Amino acid sequence: MATAAHTLLPLSQLSRPVTQWVNQVRELTQPRAVRWCEGTEAEARELTAELLKSGELKNLNPEFFPGCQLYRSAPSDVARVEHLTYICTRSQEDAGPNNHWMDPQAAHAKMRDLFRGCMRERTLYVIPYCMGPLDSPLARCGVEITDSPYVVLNMLIMTRAGRPALERIAREGGFVRGLHSTGELDPERRFIMHFPEELSIESFGSGYGGNALLGKKCHALRIASWQARSEGWLAEHMLIVGLESPRGETHYVACAFPSACGKTNLAMLIPPESLPGWRVYTVGDDIAWLHPGEDGRLWAINPEAGYFGVVPGTNPQTNRNAYEMIRRDTLFTNVAVTADNQPWWEGLPSGKPALDWQGRPYDPANGPAAHPNSRFTVSARRNPSWSPHAEDARGVPISALVFGGRRREVAPLVYEARDWRHGVLVGASVASETTAAAVGQVGVTRRDPMAMQPFCGYNFGDYWQHWLNVGARLARPPRIYHVNWFRRDAQGKFLWPGYGENLRVLAWMLERCAGRAGASASAIGNLPRPKDLNTHGLNLAPGALEALLTVDPALWRREVGEIREYLAKFGARLPAALLEELGKTEQQLG
Ligand code: GTP
Ligand code: SPV
Ligand code: MN
């Protein structure tokens, strides 16, 4: 009975390298106890009960929101902190102008000082986790050490965590090391450090989302993008969605939009009634790992097992799937509550807030009731549109890649790149208005190539070359598109209804892939003519569609100039192919 005996082994005896590392960290941080996470439901229930008892979590109204809790983070700890996030490579050039950089030795020394003794009076949790299906050769494992039970609860939902992950680590040997402490939540003593050459992460002083759930942005994007480059694949900030047409064909599309620009919503889109026969299946809502397959196509897995999604704006009209999904077994962070203890957020059609996200009596003078970056954490299995192929070990084949941004002007609703090479330029040129997902000013337009500005673990120049190399290996590469759901009219109103109606744009892309849909060529790529989009049952203001599909040569000449200036920052590391493609666009603009 070798297997039975094996499962009885304490976790601390499964992998010597993991145990050695835990012991080193224990010595440095001095916790009062060490707890290894098994990943069972009983364990999650027990941890939840402890947090309810200590008051860190609050139960929400069990009649309407069974199994749901509220967590309020420190008011100064509500979003990612890009200015405190570093890539620590031996050479600064390897981190590139797109990253903050610190010398690895200096960074380790700084972090050692912060971590020394930081877990006194606290429990150290060891979370072995697997990013991707446990049986997938494309999945990668890590271990997060944290002193935050809230982080543990999130990681148990967001990743495949516990014994099976540690068993895989014991078999394979390698794993990403992520050390995290909430410290004193002092923004002056907060750093998120990445050591891609060592496959390790050190995060101190924040308990929030991407700063603290180390499997997510830190591992699955910043470290994984580095690993992906050396191994020949791509780690991207992309949703993955399956679209079944009325003809019964299913195609998968992966889309990179910056934070809070519509990935979760598109991933679980509900087809409008006027487009009968379409079905939508969610594979992932935030991160895609893309691998060239033996068949010459690009294949994608979602490394995550849950969603850490933006709450405000979720309602039965915009996203009924998400609205239903978060009505049970969901962890809410920084939402408001009603007088009868239901969660409340801006965009709900009914109810009113009694307490705001900080737990104060609601007063509009204090700003929104729910924090604009308030989030839900929920298992992907709760999603009514969860794809039956989301757990496939080899992933799903991708027919189209889509880049997008939040831009009130310039970028049309949709356009198609001329080919892969041009598509890499289109991705590298993405610009978007900043959102509440990161600390800083909101609504400022900045370059966010491939929606990876905050997440690429190395020099963008090398990254774009890697994209070109991957494309060259694909006999059947996906087509590449750019979309913008956020164009506005002169009064500031959105020109496009968005949400479920976005399916009309995706449908055009798939028809293009099948060689059935028309387009007109422009300097920036191919655009649908109004007649190429299915607008049946769509209620647009007069002239809106024409405005959405217009390329203004004067605005675009300025845009091309700005793109050229931006790309020049990457100097010798910038692939010449991107400048050649930009030159073609410029020439055609006249
Ligand atoms: P991260 O989790 O931060 O990576 O965000 P995300 O890209 O998944 O964005 P999400 O789908 O959560 O949407 C962010 C905000 O944009 C929400 O408030 C949505 O209501 C809003 N939004 C999403 N899709 C659309 C759309 O098609 N049109 C408009 N106008 N707003 C949208
Ligand atoms: C994002 O900001 O892109 C998110 C949320 O998905 S976080 O986990 O905080 O990165
Ligand atoms: Mn994201």
Side-chain angles (χ1 to χ4, degrees):
M1 295 297 286
T3 33
H6 187 62
T7 52
L8 288 177
L9 268 186
L11 291 174
S12 59
Q13 287 175 28
L14 280 189
S15 157
R16 185 185 292 265
V18 174
T19 300
Q20 276 173 347
W21 177 54
V22 169
N23 287 339
Q24 279 164 16
V25 171
R26 182 215 295 248
E27 226 154 85
L28 176 67
T29 58
Q30 301 284 312
R32 82 174 161 207
V34 173
R35 253 164 89 169
W36 292 69
C37 298
E38 289 277 354
T40 59
E41 279 181 31
E43 179 183 69
R45 273 197 304 275
E46 198 183 309
L47 207 55
T48 303
E50 284 173 27
L51 284 176
L52 287 168
K53 203 166 154 215
S54 73
E56 280 167 90
L57 280 186
K58 304 238 180 308
N59 265 328
L60 289 161
N61 186 314
E63 188 185 338
F64 299 106
F65 286 85
C68 295
Q69 287 87 31
L70 168 66
Y71 179 82
R72 293 193 182 108
S73 65
S76 63
D77 187 34
V78 292
R80 283 182 295 100
V81 283
E82 296 180 6
H83 58 298
L84 304 174
T85 299
Y86 288 79
I87 299 295
C88 308
T89 42
R90 284 190 298 266
S91 145
Q92 180 166 8
E93 273 275 285
D94 289 341
N98 45 303
N99 280 304
H100 299 295
W101 174 84
M102 201 180 291
D103 171 73
Q105 298 220 349
H108 280 308
K110 189 183 211 31
M111 297 307 277
R112 242 190 327 271
D113 284 346
L114 293 171
F115 280 115
R116 190 168 293 119
C118 72
M119 296 190 191
R120 284 197 188 100
E121 314 304 320
R122 298 186 191 177
T123 297
L124 178 159
Y125 298 89
V126 183
I127 318 164
Y129 62 86
C130 181
M131 301 309 288
L134 277 155
D135 61 346
S136 172
L138 312 180
R140 293 287 183 278
C141 291
V143 177
E144 175 164 357
I145 293 180
T146 181
D147 56 8
S148 162
Y150 164 75
V151 165
V152 178
L153 275 184
N154 276 277
M155 285 290 287
L156 289 175
I157 299 171
M158 295 301 295
T159 72
R160 284 108 174 148
R163 182 174 289 270
L166 192 56
E167 284 171 351
R168 180 166 164 162
I169 291 171
R171 277 197 308 275
E172 290 182 344
F175 64 100
V176 170
R177 289 157 204 243
L179 172 55
H180 169 256
S181 170
T182 52
E184 316 84 49
L185 296 174
D186 175 359
E188 300 298 319
R189 284 161 51 84
R190 179 176 294 164
F191 292 98
I192 326 294
M193 303 282 194
H194 302 75
F195 305 88
E197 290 152 333
E198 303 164 19
L199 303 184
S200 78
I201 305 154
E202 294 176 4
S203 165
F204 189 91
S206 166
Y208 192 83
N211 301 329
L213 315 179
L214 301 186
K216 196 172 175 57
K217 296 310 187 357
C218 299
H219 176 164
L221 288 178
R222 297 196 191 93
I223 299 291
S225 62
W226 179 282
Q227 282 182 297
R229 183 186 172 213
S230 65
E231 296 170 7
W233 50 281
L234 296 164
E236 299 298 327
H237 191 201
M238 289 180 173
L239 68 93
I240 309 163
V241 67
L243 303 164
E244 184 183 331
S245 75
R247 297 170 187 263
E249 296 169 7
T250 300
H251 286 276
Y252 295 89
V253 173
C255 312
F257 310 149
S259 301
C261 290
K263 287 183 300 302
T264 301
N265 277 275
L266 195 73
M268 39 196 314
L269 169 158
I270 295 181
E273 273 170 25
S274 50
L275 291 188
W278 283 88
R279 298 198 60 181
V280 172
Y281 302 98
T282 315
V283 177
D285 84 318
D286 198 50
I287 300 178
W289 285 357
L290 304 156
H291 292 253
E294 277 167 15
D295 61 356
R297 290 190 291 178
L298 195 59
W299 291 73
I301 61 161
N302 170 17
E304 301 189 281
Y307 310 127
F308 184 65
V310 175
V311 178
T314 306
N315 67 49
Q317 275 71 50
T318 55
N319 189 340
R320 200 182 64 238
N321 277 339
Y323 184 74
E324 299 295 340
M325 173 175 75
I326 61 179
R327 295 189 79 82
R328 61 165 64 230
D329 299 333
T330 300
L331 180 51
F332 287 88
T333 299
N334 294 337
V335 293
V337 288
T338 61
D340 66 347
N341 202 29
Q342 297 189 50
W344 193 92
W345 55 87
E346 275 68 19
L348 275 186
S350 61
K352 60 179 202 288
L355 300 179
D356 73 6
W357 63 276
Q358 298 188 52
R360 304 173 297 190
Y362 173 61
D363 177 351
N366 289 331
H371 190 277
N373 193 34
S374 51
R375 297 266 168 174
F376 55 76
T377 319
V378 65
S379 165
R381 291 164 190 275
R382 290 263 326 129
N383 177 1
S385 62
W386 198 49
S387 166
H389 297 290
E391 302 264 2
D392 283 6
R394 63 176 186 165
V396 295
I398 298 296
S399 299
L401 292 175
V402 185
F403 298 113
R406 183 185 281 268
R407 292 197 79 178
R408 49 186 66 233
E409 49 182 11
V410 185
L413 178 64
V414 57
Y415 60 99
E416 179 187 68
R418 299 184 283 262
D419 53 23
W420 181 277
R421 224 169 82 124
H422 178 227
V424 176
L425 172 70
V426 168
S429 313
V430 167
S432 193
E433 293 154 24
T434 51
T435 65
V439 168
Q441 225 185 331
V442 169
V444 186
T445 303
R446 68 161 181 184
R447 293 284 148 204
D448 193 346
M450 280 83 171
M452 285 286 279
Q453 168 50 44
F455 307 120
C456 183
Y458 63 103
N459 190 316
F460 263 151
D462 299 335
Y463 169 77
W464 297 322
Q465 184 59 55
H466 181 53
W467 262 83
L468 293 167
N469 297 347
V470 168
R473 283 171 50 205
L474 298 172
R476 297 156 71 191
R479 289 199 188 213
I480 299 182
Y481 295 85
H482 186 285
V483 299
N484 177 19
W485 315 135
F486 301 94
R487 271 287 284 273
R488 305 208 193 208
D489 64 14
Q491 284 70 48
K493 257 194 70 189
F494 289 119
L495 278 167
W496 178 251
Y499 300 101
E501 306 294 350
N502 294 335
L503 179 59
R504 298 172 192 276
V505 174
L506 298 172
W508 174 74
M509 294 174 189
L510 296 186
E511 288 293 291
R512 288 288 292 168
C513 293
R516 289 190 291 252
S520 77
S522 85
I524 66 168
N526 305 316
L527 278 82
R529 296 156 299 183
K531 67 169 186 188
D532 295 320
L533 280 183
N534 181 345
T535 52
H536 172 71
L538 182 66
N539 235 335
L540 282 187
L545 194 56
E546 290 70 19
L548 282 161
L549 297 176
T550 304
V551 178
D552 181 323
L555 283 181
W556 270 95
R557 274 194 290 272
R558 196 174 70 195
E559 179 77 4
V560 165
E562 287 171 14
I563 293 168
R564 188 179 293 286
E565 204 176 304
Y566 171 72
L567 295 179
K569 289 190 190 163
F570 297 89
R573 302 247 182 159
L574 178 71
L578 296 195
L579 290 180
E580 284 164 28
E581 290 299 327
L582 191 64
K584 278 190 216 165
T585 300
E586 193 163 39
Q587 206 174 22
Q588 289 176 38
L589 280 167

mmCIF file of all heavy atoms in Angstrom, residues 14-19 141-143 165-177 199:
data_model
loop_
_atom_site.group_PDB
_atom_site.id
_atom_site.type_symbol
_atom_site.label_atom_id
_atom_site.label_comp_id
_atom_site.label_asym_id
_atom_site.label_seq_id
_atom_site.Cartn_x
_atom_site.Cartn_y
_atom_site.Cartn_z
ATOM 1 N N LEU A 14 7.499 15.888 2.383
ATOM 2 C CA LEU A 14 7.346 15.492 0.977
ATOM 3 C C LEU A 14 8.508 15.958 0.101
ATOM 4 O O LEU A 14 8.925 15.264 -0.811
ATOM 5 C CB LEU A 14 6.043 16.039 0.410
ATOM 6 C CG LEU A 14 4.768 15.265 0.740
ATOM 7 C CD1 LEU A 14 3.607 15.781 -0.067
ATOM 8 C CD2 LEU A 14 4.968 13.785 0.466
ATOM 9 N N SER A 15 8.982 17.174 0.331
ATOM 10 C CA SER A 15 10.033 17.714 -0.544
ATOM 11 C C SER A 15 11.127 18.352 0.296
ATOM 12 O O SER A 15 10.889 19.349 0.984
ATOM 13 C CB SER A 15 9.429 18.749 -1.505
ATOM 14 O OG SER A 15 10.431 19.627 -1.959
ATOM 15 N N ARG A 16 12.313 17.802 0.198
ATOM 16 C CA ARG A 16 13.417 18.327 1.007
ATOM 17 C C ARG A 16 13.749 19.786 0.667
ATOM 18 O O ARG A 16 13.901 20.606 1.572
ATOM 19 C CB ARG A 16 14.655 17.422 0.847
ATOM 20 C CG ARG A 16 15.814 17.806 1.743
ATOM 21 C CD ARG A 16 17.030 16.958 1.440
ATOM 22 N NE ARG A 16 16.799 15.569 1.823
ATOM 23 C CZ ARG A 16 17.181 15.076 2.996
ATOM 24 N NH1 ARG A 16 17.802 15.831 3.866
ATOM 25 N NH2 ARG A 16 16.964 13.815 3.293
ATOM 26 N N PRO A 17 13.821 20.154 -0.650
ATOM 27 C CA PRO A 17 14.136 21.567 -0.941
ATOM 28 C C PRO A 17 13.090 22.532 -0.370
ATOM 29 O O PRO A 17 13.434 23.617 0.105
ATOM 30 C CB PRO A 17 14.144 21.634 -2.469
ATOM 31 C CG PRO A 17 14.220 20.238 -2.959
ATOM 32 C CD PRO A 17 13.755 19.332 -1.874
ATOM 33 N N VAL A 18 11.837 22.142 -0.408
ATOM 34 C CA VAL A 18 10.796 23.027 0.134
ATOM 35 C C VAL A 18 10.977 23.152 1.643
ATOM 36 O O VAL A 18 10.956 24.251 2.214
ATOM 37 C CB VAL A 18 9.373 22.512 -0.215
ATOM 38 C CG1 VAL A 18 8.316 23.358 0.493
ATOM 39 C CG2 VAL A 18 9.151 22.541 -1.727
ATOM 40 N N THR A 19 11.186 22.011 2.311
ATOM 41 C CA THR A 19 11.326 22.031 3.772
ATOM 42 C C THR A 19 12.559 22.835 4.196
ATOM 43 O O THR A 19 12.501 23.616 5.156
ATOM 44 C CB THR A 19 11.408 20.581 4.310
ATOM 45 O OG1 THR A 19 10.203 19.920 3.925
ATOM 46 C CG2 THR A 19 11.549 20.565 5.817
ATOM 47 N N CYS A 141 4.687 24.962 -10.947
ATOM 48 C CA CYS A 141 4.365 24.997 -9.522
ATOM 49 C C CYS A 141 5.159 26.053 -8.771
ATOM 50 O O CYS A 141 6.208 26.516 -9.221
ATOM 51 C CB CYS A 141 4.638 23.640 -8.891
ATOM 52 S SG CYS A 141 3.491 22.396 -9.464
ATOM 53 N N GLY A 142 4.637 26.402 -7.622
ATOM 54 C CA GLY A 142 5.315 27.335 -6.741
ATOM 55 C C GLY A 142 4.940 27.047 -5.299
ATOM 56 O O GLY A 142 4.063 26.229 -5.017
ATOM 57 N N VAL A 143 5.633 27.700 -4.379
ATOM 58 C CA VAL A 143 5.260 27.645 -2.967
ATOM 59 C C VAL A 143 5.243 29.078 -2.469
ATOM 60 O O VAL A 143 6.211 29.818 -2.679
ATOM 61 C CB VAL A 143 6.270 26.818 -2.135
ATOM 62 C CG1 VAL A 143 5.888 26.846 -0.651
ATOM 63 C CG2 VAL A 143 6.337 25.377 -2.637
ATOM 64 N N ALA A 165 -0.221 19.584 -5.281
ATOM 65 C CA ALA A 165 0.796 20.484 -5.858
ATOM 66 C C ALA A 165 2.162 20.146 -5.272
ATOM 67 O O ALA A 165 3.166 20.089 -5.993
ATOM 68 C CB ALA A 165 0.435 21.939 -5.573
ATOM 69 N N LEU A 166 2.212 19.897 -3.951
ATOM 70 C CA LEU A 166 3.506 19.577 -3.334
ATOM 71 C C LEU A 166 4.021 18.225 -3.826
ATOM 72 O O LEU A 166 5.231 18.033 -4.003
ATOM 73 C CB LEU A 166 3.391 19.600 -1.798
ATOM 74 C CG LEU A 166 4.721 19.569 -1.064
ATOM 75 C CD1 LEU A 166 5.648 20.702 -1.483
ATOM 76 C CD2 LEU A 166 4.519 19.604 0.450
ATOM 77 N N GLU A 167 3.099 17.301 -4.081
ATOM 78 C CA GLU A 167 3.521 16.002 -4.634
ATOM 79 C C GLU A 167 4.157 16.202 -6.016
ATOM 80 O O GLU A 167 5.159 15.562 -6.340
ATOM 81 C CB GLU A 167 2.318 15.047 -4.716
ATOM 82 C CG GLU A 167 1.959 14.494 -3.338
ATOM 83 C CD GLU A 167 0.641 13.723 -3.314
ATOM 84 O OE1 GLU A 167 -0.105 13.751 -4.331
ATOM 85 O OE2 GLU A 167 0.364 13.112 -2.280
ATOM 86 N N ARG A 168 3.576 17.098 -6.799
ATOM 87 C CA ARG A 168 4.162 17.359 -8.125
ATOM 88 C C ARG A 168 5.545 18.011 -7.969
ATOM 89 O O ARG A 168 6.490 17.662 -8.678
ATOM 90 C CB ARG A 168 3.223 18.251 -8.952
ATOM 91 C CG ARG A 168 3.786 18.534 -10.328
ATOM 92 C CD ARG A 168 2.767 19.116 -11.299
ATOM 93 N NE ARG A 168 3.502 19.691 -12.441
ATOM 94 C CZ ARG A 168 2.986 19.979 -13.609
ATOM 95 N NH1 ARG A 168 1.703 19.759 -13.843
ATOM 96 N NH2 ARG A 168 3.721 20.496 -14.577
ATOM 97 N N ILE A 169 5.653 18.951 -7.016
ATOM 98 C CA ILE A 169 6.952 19.587 -6.772
ATOM 99 C C ILE A 169 7.983 18.539 -6.354
ATOM 100 O O ILE A 169 9.131 18.544 -6.819
ATOM 101 C CB ILE A 169 6.813 20.692 -5.701
ATOM 102 C CG1 ILE A 169 6.002 21.867 -6.256
ATOM 103 C CG2 ILE A 169 8.191 21.152 -5.216
ATOM 104 C CD1 ILE A 169 5.623 22.913 -5.226
ATOM 105 N N ALA A 170 7.554 17.615 -5.492
ATOM 106 C CA ALA A 170 8.484 16.571 -5.029
ATOM 107 C C ALA A 170 8.958 15.712 -6.202
ATOM 108 O O ALA A 170 10.110 15.295 -6.254
ATOM 109 C CB ALA A 170 7.798 15.702 -3.969
ATOM 110 N N ARG A 171 8.065 15.481 -7.165
ATOM 111 C CA ARG A 171 8.439 14.681 -8.345
ATOM 112 C C ARG A 171 9.365 15.453 -9.273
ATOM 113 O O ARG A 171 10.345 14.936 -9.784
ATOM 114 C CB ARG A 171 7.180 14.315 -9.149
ATOM 115 C CG ARG A 171 6.419 13.110 -8.635
ATOM 116 C CD ARG A 171 5.462 12.568 -9.708
ATOM 117 N NE ARG A 171 4.579 13.583 -10.288
ATOM 118 C CZ ARG A 171 3.415 13.959 -9.754
ATOM 119 N NH1 ARG A 171 3.021 13.426 -8.600
ATOM 120 N NH2 ARG A 171 2.667 14.871 -10.349
ATOM 121 N N GLU A 172 9.033 16.755 -9.494
ATOM 122 C CA GLU A 172 9.747 17.539 -10.515
ATOM 123 C C GLU A 172 10.998 18.232 -10.002
ATOM 124 O O GLU A 172 11.915 18.521 -10.746
ATOM 125 C CB GLU A 172 8.817 18.615 -11.097
ATOM 126 C CG GLU A 172 7.710 18.057 -11.945
ATOM 127 C CD GLU A 172 6.838 19.158 -12.537
ATOM 128 O OE1 GLU A 172 6.907 20.307 -12.056
ATOM 129 O OE2 GLU A 172 6.101 18.845 -13.475
ATOM 130 N N GLY A 173 10.972 18.607 -8.729
ATOM 131 C CA GLY A 173 12.122 19.298 -8.157
ATOM 132 C C GLY A 173 11.987 20.805 -8.159
ATOM 133 O O GLY A 173 12.088 21.441 -7.138
ATOM 134 N N GLY A 174 11.746 21.404 -9.309
ATOM 135 C CA GLY A 174 11.744 22.872 -9.398
ATOM 136 C C GLY A 174 10.457 23.496 -8.908
ATOM 137 O O GLY A 174 9.391 22.898 -9.000
ATOM 138 N N PHE A 175 10.548 24.698 -8.357
ATOM 139 C CA PHE A 175 9.356 25.451 -7.977
ATOM 140 C C PHE A 175 9.733 26.914 -7.792
ATOM 141 O O PHE A 175 10.886 27.236 -7.540
ATOM 142 C CB PHE A 175 8.733 24.890 -6.687
ATOM 143 C CG PHE A 175 9.600 25.016 -5.459
ATOM 144 C CD1 PHE A 175 9.377 26.046 -4.539
ATOM 145 C CD2 PHE A 175 10.648 24.133 -5.210
ATOM 146 C CE1 PHE A 175 10.167 26.183 -3.408
ATOM 147 C CE2 PHE A 175 11.442 24.261 -4.079
ATOM 148 C CZ PHE A 175 11.207 25.288 -3.182
ATOM 149 N N VAL A 176 8.751 27.800 -7.966
ATOM 150 C CA VAL A 176 8.973 29.227 -7.754
ATOM 151 C C VAL A 176 8.769 29.527 -6.271
ATOM 152 O O VAL A 176 7.783 29.091 -5.669
ATOM 153 C CB VAL A 176 8.008 30.054 -8.634
ATOM 154 C CG1 VAL A 176 8.049 31.528 -8.252
ATOM 155 C CG2 VAL A 176 8.360 29.882 -10.108
ATOM 156 N N ARG A 177 9.734 30.243 -5.670
ATOM 157 C CA ARG A 177 9.649 30.569 -4.249
ATOM 158 C C ARG A 177 9.052 31.952 -4.066
ATOM 159 O O ARG A 177 9.600 32.921 -4.590
ATOM 160 C CB ARG A 177 11.049 30.613 -3.631
ATOM 161 C CG ARG A 177 11.695 29.285 -3.503
ATOM 162 C CD ARG A 177 13.220 29.403 -3.425
ATOM 163 N NE ARG A 177 13.745 28.133 -3.866
ATOM 164 C CZ ARG A 177 14.460 27.313 -3.101
ATOM 165 N NH1 ARG A 177 14.843 27.675 -1.908
ATOM 166 N NH2 ARG A 177 14.827 26.132 -3.559
ATOM 167 N N LEU A 199 14.125 32.522 -9.970
ATOM 168 C CA LEU A 199 12.727 32.082 -9.873
ATOM 169 C C LEU A 199 12.179 32.332 -8.464
ATOM 170 O O LEU A 199 11.595 31.440 -7.841
ATOM 171 C CB LEU A 199 12.581 30.604 -10.261
ATOM 172 C CG LEU A 199 13.071 30.219 -11.658
ATOM 173 C CD1 LEU A 199 12.767 28.755 -11.951
ATOM 174 C CD2 LEU A 199 12.451 31.092 -12.749
#
